[in-house]
Each structure stands twice: as C-alpha cells, then as structure tokens.
C-alpha cells in the first residue's frame, strides 16, 4: 500500500466527507481525533496508517475521485444551504450520486455546465487560475455593442479597484438591441462577466457556460447530470489525483 503524507483537512476532503474549509472548522471545534488524540489544528500531516475519527465515526477509506457534468438551469443557487430559502443545485441532484461539491459556481440567473466532484482537493485544483483552464460562455446582452471596447478586454480591465484578467470576446450575432457574444475567461471571479459588461453599458440577459477546461456541455439536457468516465478523469487530471495504492 502506498503511504502518502498529506494534510489532515485534505485527507478528509479526499475521503468525500466535506470540503477542506469544512474540515478545518471541524478540527478547530474539536471534532477530529487522530490515533486516539484530539487535534485542534489543521497543520498536521497524516498517512494512510493513521486512524482518523470525525464526530465519533472512523473516516472511511479514500474513495476514487468522481466527476460529473451537470446542466444547471437558471433559478438555482450553487450552494448547499441558502439562508434565503431559495432552491439549490444540490436539492435537484439525484441521491445516487452521493455527496458532491461544485467546481466553482454559477450565479442564480446563469445556466449551463457545472462540474461536480466528491473530491475537495480535485475541485480546488480545477478552480485555480494557475491551472490555466479556459471557461467559455455564450452571453446575450442588451445595449449598444462596441467591438473595439470588447476587443480591448483581452488586455484585462480594472473595475472599482478589482483587476480582471484577459477576456476574449467575439460577436456572434446581432438583432436589434440584443447581441449574442462568445466569451472566454480563465479566472472566473464573482459575477465577472456581468460586471464587466455592465461597465461597458451592456446588460446581460442570458449567460450560458458551454465548457470548463476540456469538459463540454454538449447536448446534455437541462437539469441532467452525467458522470465523466474514470479514464477521462485520469487522462485530463492525472497530476491532481492521488497516487494509486499498490
């Protein structure tokens, strides 16, 4: 068996128990024991030989990373629990896929491809700008479109003190005051596309994510979820996956 040292929070996330942030909270609240001793700091490396107990239950053996494509409809928030009582993505997932977290988010009004995984470490890797994955969108806007201003977004833009990276925009079609744009970004800051378009005098009235890195929305029906085969995960994300046991 491969004995791999890793942070306790990462181990908990890889087991599919919770996200790293939730794991750190459980540790700080005194709910986690390693080899019979309570730990109060997430700054601890563990191996497969260590016995970990969370809230009185042994941490299950690592389960293989799973990744799903989900066609998010508009009208759902991407959160496990919403204080305002709005419907969430996770309330609309089939129970047989088990506990998953989202890779990044789509706001309530946005739709399209949302990746879901049971592995918190894998989600974090896919979200990082340093991974270099391009997110592509189809965006319908209302208002006067200025092609030069859209082209200049390739150099990035600063709004209200926040620096946004390169955004590649092409105009697909125009009908009256409505236009369809293709937009490509690599960062995905909160409501990034909507804020930038608003700064250019455009109102986004539809936003559809069509791809995230190598994964495509394709013809997946709205509201449907489909698991990505393990071999594809290994091919596309091999560096982010834990070594196989031997």
């Amino acid at each position: 068996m491969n004995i791999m040292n890793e942070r306790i929070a990462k181990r908990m996330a890889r087991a599919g128990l919770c996200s790293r942030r939730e794991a750190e909270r459980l540790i700080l609240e005194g709910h986690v024991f390693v080899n019979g001793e309570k730990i109060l700091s997430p700054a601890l490396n563990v191996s497969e030989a260590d016995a970990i107990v969370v809230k009185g239950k042994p941490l299950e053996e690592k389960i293989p990373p799973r990744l799903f494509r989900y066609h998010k409809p508009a009208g759902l928030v991407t959160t496990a629990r919403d204080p305002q009582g709005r419907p969430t993505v996770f309330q609309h997932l089939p129970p047989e896929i088990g506990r998953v977290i989202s890779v990044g988010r789509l706001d309530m009004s946005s739709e399209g491809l949302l990746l879901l995984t049971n592995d918190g470490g894998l989600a974090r890797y896919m979200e990082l700008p340093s991974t270099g994955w391009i997110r592509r969108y189809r965006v319908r806007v209302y208002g006067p479109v200025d092609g030069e201003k859209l082209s200049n977004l390739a150099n990035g833009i600063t709004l209200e003190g926040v620096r946004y990276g390169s955004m590649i925009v092409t105009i697909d079609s125009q009908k009256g005051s409505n236009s369809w744009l293709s937009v490509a970004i690599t960062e995905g800051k909160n409501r990034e596309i909507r804020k930038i378009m608003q700064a250019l005098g455009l109102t986004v009235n539809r936003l559809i994510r069509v791809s995230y890195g190598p994964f495509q929305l394709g013809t997946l029906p709205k509201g449907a979820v489909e698991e990505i085969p393990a071999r594809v995960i290994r091919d596309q994300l091999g560096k982010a996956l834990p070594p196989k046991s031997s």
Side-chain angles (χ1 to χ4, degrees):
M1 176 178 290
N2 175 56
I3 304 298
M4 181 179 66
N5 289 320
E6 60 186 346
R7 290 288 191 182
I8 176 67
K10 183 177 181 181
R11 170 75 180 278
M12 292 166 64
R14 284 204 181 278
L17 179 67
C18 56
S19 68
R20 280 200 200 181
R21 183 173 296 178
E22 291 169 339
E24 290 172 354
R25 178 182 60 79
L26 289 170
I27 291 167
L28 294 173
E29 292 177 355
H31 297 302
V32 181
F33 289 74
V34 176
N35 300 327
E37 295 186 9
K38 181 190 294 187
I39 62 169
L40 296 174
S41 170
L44 174 71
N45 283 352
V46 295
S47 74
E48 293 176 5
D50 290 310
I52 302 170
V53 175
V54 181
K55 288 190 170 182
K57 296 181 180 180
L59 187 68
E60 297 179 359
E61 289 296 317
K62 292 180 186 177
I63 55 179
R66 301 177 72 189
L67 189 62
F68 301 85
R69 293 187 304 132
Y70 174 61
H71 188 157
K72 177 193 174 297
L76 302 179
V77 293
T78 312
T79 183
R81 293 175 296 276
D82 183 64
Q84 301 177 43
R86 296 172 296 181
T88 75
V89 163
F90 300 98
Q91 291 170 340
H92 286 72
L93 296 176
E96 58 268 22
I97 75 172
R99 184 195 176 280
V100 291
I101 59 176
S102 65
V103 179
R105 295 190 176 192
L106 286 173
D107 64 42
M108 187 172 184
S109 300
S110 299
E111 54 192 292
L113 179 64
L114 184 66
L115 296 177
L116 306 166
T117 179
N118 64 340
D119 189 314
L122 191 61
R124 177 174 171 76
Y125 172 82
M126 289 189 285
E127 291 169 353
L128 290 173
S130 58
T131 304
W133 278 7
I134 298 174
R135 290 86 148 158
R136 299 186 186 277
Y137 301 80
R138 292 203 69 224
V139 183
R140 188 175 66 192
V141 297
Y142 177 84
V145 172
D146 186 319
E148 184 176 354
K149 288 182 179 179
L150 292 177
S151 296
N152 288 338
L153 294 176
N155 300 317
I157 188 173
T158 299
L159 299 176
E160 298 180 350
V162 178
R163 181 66 183 173
Y164 295 92
S166 176
M167 177 182 288
I168 307 300
V169 183
T170 57
I171 303 171
D172 294 333
S173 64
Q174 292 180 280
K175 186 176 182 180
S177 297
N178 284 292
S179 303
W180 277 102
L181 311 175
S182 289
V183 177
I185 59 177
T186 56
E187 287 186 301
K189 288 187 172 74
N190 182 40
R191 299 178 66 83
E192 176 173 344
I193 295 175
R194 295 182 187 276
K195 290 177 180 177
I196 292 175
M197 293 301 161
Q198 184 177 17
L200 298 184
L202 301 171
T203 300
V204 173
N205 49 38
R206 196 167 181 197
L207 191 152
I208 308 166
R209 183 154 64 196
V210 296
S211 68
Y212 192 112
F215 303 107
Q216 310 290 320
L217 177 64
T219 58
L220 188 68
K222 189 173 294 187
V225 61
E226 183 177 275
E227 185 164 8
I228 296 170
R231 61 175 178 77
V232 176
I233 298 175
R234 182 67 56 180
D235 289 345
Q236 299 293 341
L237 292 156
K239 292 181 180 180
L241 300 177
K244 293 182 178 180
S245 297
S246 58

